[in-house]
Amino acid sequence: MNDVLSNVFIYTDPERCMGCHSCELACATAHSTYDLHSAVLNGITLLSRNKVVKVADVTTTSQCVQCKAPCLDACPFDVITREAIGAIKIDETNCTGCKLCSKACPYDCITMMPLPLELQAIPGSKKKKKFVALKCDLCFDLRGEDGTINSACIQACPTKAITLTRDPALRTKNLTLTGYLA
Ligand code: SF4
Ligand code: SF4
């Protein structure tokens, strides 16, 4: 069986999503050391790894669908890996910011975040790291002790529109709705 089919991914039901953007905010703060208040006070830009999109008369979210991962194949530094549960993960610490993964993703799911000057130095190198690649990681690092994935967007959604699923039909449904599949 094509292992992509059984990869776990985030799906947002357009019938339940009301486009409130709570999931974006939860994603951005879950991946930052700043909460919303302190980020505003310190002039920090919080970036979410999901996007709320309006298509026709409905809203849903767009984020990594944990696919066959051409992004993984494109990374020349081997910092993108496939985890045991089938999730594709970027090692952001060792990402060099070369952008090749974002060019390889057919669904525009990787955001290249500009780094402030003070974070651009690479120890032992004259080169600078100006960007880091970000994408939905299912909040993989926030797993409970029993391995449960507690994705921040799922917890934040007031209408319970977001779920973790392995249903390939829902992946196809989302990519069709967001215009990536005919
Ligand atoms: S931007 Fe980072 S993750 Fe993407 S291909 Fe380059 S090194 Fe790999
Ligand atoms: S970032 Fe894009 S190419 Fe990589 S696994 Fe996600 S959807 Fe696939």
Side-chain angles (χ1 to χ4, degrees):
M1 183 174 80
N2 181 346
D3 63 353
V4 174
L5 293 179
S6 60
N7 283 355
V8 63
F9 63 100
I10 295 277
Y11 173 73
T12 299
D13 181 353
E15 306 295 326
R16 300 182 75 110
C17 174
M18 58 179 186
C20 68
H21 296 261
S22 298
C23 54
E24 283 182 357
L25 184 57
C27 176
T29 51
H31 291 89
S32 173
T33 51
Y34 292 86
D35 60 25
L36 181 59
H37 184 69
S38 57
V40 171
L41 287 180
N42 289 284
I44 302 295
T45 302
L46 296 174
L47 276 183
S48 68
R49 290 131 194 263
N50 56 354
K51 281 178 283 197
V52 175
V53 291
K54 189 168 190 326
V55 196
D57 290 335
V58 296
T59 50
T60 185
T61 66
S62 175
Q63 62 277 308
C64 172
V65 292
Q66 316 296 340
C67 73
K68 199 172 177 182
C71 59
L72 186 156
D73 295 330
C75 179
F77 302 98
D78 295 331
V79 303
I80 305 182
T81 50
R82 185 183 297 276
E83 302 297 319
I85 60 167
I88 309 299
K89 192 166 184 294
I90 298 177
D91 171 1
E92 292 166 15
T93 303
N94 289 309
C95 165
T96 66
C98 73
K99 303 185 183 176
L100 290 175
C101 59
S102 67
K103 290 177 183 156
C105 175
Y107 310 124
D108 300 320
C109 293
I110 297 183
T111 301
M112 298 305 305
M113 181 177 81
L115 289 172
L117 266 181
E118 63 271 22
L119 295 180
Q120 288 184 6
I122 302 174
S125 170
K126 288 182 182 169
K127 291 184 178 170
K128 289 190 172 178
K129 167 177 168 170
K130 296 187 175 171
F131 297 90
V132 63
L134 305 179
K135 76 168 192 69
C136 170
D137 59 1
L138 309 174
C139 295
F140 200 76
D141 293 336
L142 302 179
R143 276 168 300 163
E145 283 182 5
D146 61 354
T148 310
I149 297 176
N150 298 308
S151 306
C153 57
I154 295 178
Q155 313 290 325
C157 179
T159 62
K160 308 288 179 218
I162 310 174
T163 49
L164 271 176
T165 178
R166 294 182 188 274
D167 184 347
L170 292 180
R171 182 186 284 113
T172 301
K173 186 176 175 184
N174 175 266
L175 290 174
T176 303
L177 183 64
T178 51
Y180 289 106
L181 293 180

XYZ file of all heavy atoms in Angstrom, residues 74-77 79-80 90 95-101 112 133, ligand 1:
119
model
N 13.602 17.003 -1.567
C 14.280 18.205 -2.077
C 15.309 18.756 -1.106
O 16.206 19.505 -1.515
C 13.243 19.291 -2.383
N 15.199 18.412 0.162
C 16.100 19.021 1.154
C 17.515 18.457 1.023
O 17.740 17.274 1.279
C 15.581 18.785 2.577
S 16.699 19.495 3.808
N 18.489 19.274 0.644
C 19.851 18.768 0.475
C 20.581 18.568 1.789
O 21.690 18.040 1.815
C 20.525 19.856 -0.371
C 19.742 21.092 -0.134
C 18.352 20.701 0.267
N 19.962 19.003 2.883
C 20.628 18.926 4.185
C 20.013 17.847 5.092
O 20.353 17.746 6.260
C 20.588 20.299 4.866
C 21.248 21.353 4.027
C 20.508 22.197 3.222
C 22.633 21.474 3.996
C 21.109 23.145 2.420
C 23.256 22.416 3.198
C 22.500 23.264 2.398
N 17.284 17.548 6.657
C 16.687 17.967 7.929
C 15.169 17.752 7.940
O 14.496 18.136 8.886
C 17.036 19.431 8.280
C 18.535 19.625 8.324
C 16.387 20.417 7.331
N 14.644 17.132 6.881
C 13.221 16.788 6.869
C 13.110 15.268 6.975
O 13.780 14.533 6.247
C 12.516 17.294 5.597
C 12.739 18.800 5.431
C 11.028 16.987 5.658
C 12.036 19.417 4.236
N 10.112 18.962 9.966
C 11.305 19.756 9.642
C 12.073 20.034 10.929
O 11.494 20.486 11.913
C 10.919 21.108 8.985
C 10.186 20.870 7.659
C 12.171 21.960 8.746
C 9.699 22.155 6.982
N 17.699 23.577 9.866
C 17.302 24.079 8.540
C 18.220 25.245 8.180
O 18.486 26.106 9.011
C 15.849 24.534 8.610
S 15.332 25.559 7.214
N 18.694 25.256 6.946
C 19.599 26.333 6.520
C 18.867 27.487 5.845
O 19.467 28.498 5.489
C 20.650 25.805 5.518
O 19.965 25.416 4.320
C 21.415 24.617 6.083
N 17.574 27.294 5.597
C 16.796 28.353 4.962
C 16.991 28.461 3.470
O 16.746 29.524 2.878
N 17.384 27.376 2.817
C 17.694 27.439 1.376
C 16.449 27.537 0.499
O 16.555 27.798 -0.690
C 18.534 26.229 0.958
S 17.601 24.681 0.886
N 15.286 27.257 1.033
C 13.982 27.399 0.344
C 13.636 26.285 -0.638
O 12.576 26.341 -1.280
C 13.867 28.739 -0.393
C 14.048 29.961 0.473
C 13.798 31.223 -0.340
C 14.043 32.466 0.484
N 13.901 33.696 -0.265
N 14.504 25.292 -0.808
C 14.219 24.271 -1.826
C 12.961 23.468 -1.488
O 12.214 23.057 -2.371
C 15.421 23.337 -1.989
C 16.625 24.004 -2.659
C 17.831 23.070 -2.682
C 16.265 24.420 -4.086
N 12.724 23.247 -0.196
C 11.526 22.480 0.185
C 10.263 23.249 -0.153
O 9.277 22.668 -0.625
C 11.561 22.149 1.674
S 11.641 23.616 2.718
N 8.528 30.319 4.455
C 9.910 30.651 4.804
C 9.864 31.897 5.692
O 9.507 32.985 5.247
C 10.737 30.931 3.547
C 10.848 29.751 2.590
S 11.481 28.200 3.298
C 13.048 28.693 4.012
N 12.434 27.263 7.471
C 11.228 26.680 6.859
C 10.263 26.213 7.945
O 10.649 25.488 8.867
C 11.621 25.506 5.967
S 14.845 25.375 3.663
Fe 15.508 24.055 5.339
S 14.151 22.309 5.353
Fe 13.870 23.386 3.408
S 15.227 22.325 1.989
Fe 16.358 24.042 2.843
S 17.398 23.218 4.617
Fe 15.849 21.747 4.053
